[in-house]
Amino acid sequence: MHKSLAYIFIFLFSLTVKASFLLLPMDETTQQNHLKAYGITYWCLSKDYKASWLLNYRGGSFLLPDVEEIRKECQIRGVSFEVLSDSEEASILNEISSPSQNMESVILEKAPKIAVYTPKGKQPWDDAVTLVLTYAEIPFTPIYDEEVLSDQLLLYDWLHLHHEDFTGQYGKFYAAYKNTPWYIDQKKDAEALAAKLGYSKVSQEKGAVAKKIRDFVIGGGFMFAMCSATDSFDIALAADGVDICEAMFDGDASEPNYQSKLNFGNSFAFKNFTLERRPEQYEFSDIDMTLKRRIPMEKDYFSLMEFSAKWDPIPSMLCQNHTQLVKGFMGQTTSFDSALVKSNVLVMGTCELNGEARYIHGEKGKGMFTFFGGHDPEDFQHQVGDPPTVLDLHPNSPGYRLILNNVLFPAARKKKLKT
């Protein structure tokens, strides 16, 4: 009798200690591959497993069910995980829910469908988002002007804008690269595509693309842009119907007094900016701080803002990291003049030395957008023609984590905000 009771007790005890959850820790010392941990979480969502994002808990860790195939996938991809019992999971969630803790558990429901706006031909530069999505093994679909103008954005939840010029000035590469084969080919291809799509000028066709992307966001889409796609997108919207291109770009002179004709009400993030008229200047406007910042590489860092995870979960998700201090990096558009950022746009990352904005977020209609200055978080001054960054050398990159925060946050369960 006593022996039978002992067996029953052992059996019941074994049920209570049985592992039920996997924790992907995202702190600085425990996780060996932060970037691939996002890929594991996305993979779980695509397999209809439940997942939670533990905001501000050990660097923004992920909580997954303890399933053998998830364990194996973590081992294959080199992602660190910890096995939790029911009681350990309950203890963590209890700690997170305490009003005294700036933490929150956010349920992730569905893997977002991802599109990357990128031209079909080979470019003389790489794209950080495409690199990290590929490295993290998160699937995406490349799309370009034909797909955008035929309303195929409706098929996707999240859109990244490649290093792109939406103003029709071919990236303002004229002075340095007008005689290089890649520039000549790009200009010819862009003109042929615009004509095929029924536009007489590339600037008009790119403007139409920008407005389709605007409508995608207003309708509830999520848009993420880096480098020159940020300011050139807003410039194209503000200059809708105004010719701002000089003759070497579109065959005729720009419109007289075009600066006074800009409509800043059309732009997403920036206001009162002044366009750069000189075609030989590698700059679109005074939004960008590249030529004004004067910050040496060894001192180039920006700080992530801290938000209330319980009251402001969206910016909290977008700023999850294992450090609040992130290395700066250059680009055609490196950072944003804070004085030109609209008051309803949230600045999430700033450089303490000059107050420039590096990382901003806003809402437009039913959707949201994030702009991130710079070209490659692990290449301080990426040049045209440089080889792509090898992310195996940077599996714990804080800058690349910010990109992946944006990829994953559309998966969060939508709930009424408390603010």
Side-chain angles (χ1 to χ4, degrees), residues 6-223:
Y7 281 134
I8 292 171
F9 175 79
I10 292 170
F11 173 73
L12 292 174
F13 179 75
S14 68
L15 289 179
T16 62
V17 298
K18 181 179 181 297
S20 296
F21 297 92
L22 297 179
L23 181 77
L24 307 189
M26 297 294 278
D27 50 357
E28 187 170 11
T29 57
T30 312
Q31 182 53 256
Q32 61 181 335
N33 198 315
H34 287 91
L35 305 185
K36 285 187 179 289
Y38 287 89
I40 289 289
T41 305
Y42 187 97
W43 179 84
C44 288
L45 293 173
S46 69
K47 296 275 188 177
D48 294 325
Y49 288 115
K50 294 180 180 178
S52 294
W53 199 347
L54 308 183
L55 305 185
N56 294 344
Y57 178 79
R58 294 179 63 183
S61 300
F62 299 108
L63 188 65
L64 308 173
D66 183 20
V67 178
E68 184 61 28
E69 70 169 335
I70 299 179
R71 288 197 190 197
K72 286 182 178 178
E73 201 66 30
C74 287
Q75 291 163 348
I76 291 168
R77 301 191 193 189
V79 173
S80 308
F81 64 91
E82 298 172 9
V83 180
L84 303 179
S85 66
D86 282 345
S87 59
E88 288 171 323
E89 183 257 1
S91 176
I92 290 171
L93 293 182
N94 188 55
E95 176 189 354
I96 289 171
S97 66
S98 170
S100 66
Q101 298 293 331
N102 184 19
M103 301 179 186
E104 181 67 299
S105 174
V106 174
I107 295 172
L108 302 177
E109 292 192 307
K110 177 186 169 188
K113 294 179 180 177
I114 297 169
V116 173
Y117 177 84
T118 180
K120 294 175 172 61
K122 181 171 173 53
Q123 300 296 295
W125 53 78
D126 54 273
D127 174 55
V129 175
T130 306
L131 284 177
V132 77
L133 288 172
T134 302
Y135 180 74
E137 300 179 57
I138 296 175
F140 63 92
T141 303
I143 65 169
Y144 204 50
D145 294 353
E146 289 179 278
E147 290 84 358
V148 172
L149 292 174
S150 60
D151 292 322
Q152 291 186 40
L153 285 179
L154 296 172
L155 302 174
Y156 303 97
D157 304 302
W158 190 89
L159 171 69
H160 166 58
L161 303 184
H162 186 78
H163 181 103
E164 184 64 46
D165 174 9
F166 290 97
T167 70
Q169 298 176 92
Y170 307 105
K172 296 295 289 284
F173 287 116
Y174 178 76
Y177 297 104
K178 62 179 177 291
N179 294 319
T180 59
W182 69 261
Y183 181 91
I184 294 169
D185 288 343
Q186 270 195 5
K187 187 172 185 294
K188 182 175 65 176
D189 291 345
E191 289 169 347
L193 180 59
K196 176 184 174 182
L197 295 171
Y199 296 88
S200 59
K201 293 184 177 183
V202 171
S203 57
Q204 294 169 351
E205 187 258 331
K206 288 296 182 185
V209 169
K211 287 189 285 186
K212 283 287 187 180
I213 294 171
R214 173 203 64 193
D215 294 344
F216 163 76
V217 176
I218 290 173
F222 299 90
M223 183 186 80

Side-chain angles (χ1 to χ4, degrees), residues 291-322:
L291 301 177
K292 299 182 279 186
R293 55 201 313 265
R294 308 276 189 256
I295 298 174
M297 183 173 71
E298 63 274 10
K299 293 183 179 179
D300 197 350
Y301 286 84
F302 64 95
S303 302
L304 296 174
M305 309 295 285
E306 186 173 0
F307 299 94
S308 169
K310 290 180 172 63
W311 290 82
D312 294 306
I314 289 173
S316 294
M317 279 186 270
L318 296 178
C319 290
Q320 290 302 290
N321 226 307
H322 49 282

